[in-house]
Amino acid sequence: MKKTIGELIDELSVTNNKIFYLVDKVQRNVHTVEEAKKIQDLNTYRVQLKNAINEFFNERIENKV
């Protein structure tokens, strides 16, 4: 099943909040190695979500991961 634009935006918002929380922990130096790795994974997922939204509106696709 293909996701709706609302679902994509919702997932992007949740993903951004997770990234913000983990980056805050890293900046305060109270993080684990797993949490630092999770930031990379979430950033990759964030790019995929942004690309899906851009595709929905026939916009430019980002290639960074």
Side-chain angles (χ1 to χ4, degrees):
M1 177 175 86
K2 191 172 182 177
K3 294 182 181 180
T4 67
I5 189 67
E7 291 170 325
L8 292 170
I9 292 170
D10 181 56
E11 284 188 43
L12 181 60
S13 297
V14 170
T15 302
N16 281 335
N17 285 332
K18 288 178 181 179
I19 291 169
F20 176 81
Y21 171 75
L22 291 171
V23 166
D24 183 57
K25 285 185 80 171
V26 168
Q27 289 175 338
R28 289 184 288 121
N29 202 26
V30 293
H31 66 286
T32 65
V33 173
E34 291 79 19
E35 289 171 328
K37 169 76 170 90
K38 185 71 174 172
I39 293 171
Q40 294 175 320
D41 296 339
L42 287 169
N43 273 326
T44 299
Y45 184 57
R46 188 177 87 137
V47 169
Q48 292 170 352
L49 289 169
K50 288 172 55 180
N51 283 339
I53 292 169
N54 286 345
E55 185 178 313
F56 184 87
F57 291 107
N58 297 317
E59 297 287 331
R60 176 181 61 86
I61 302 296
E62 293 183 37
N63 290 323
K64 54 183 172 174
V65 281

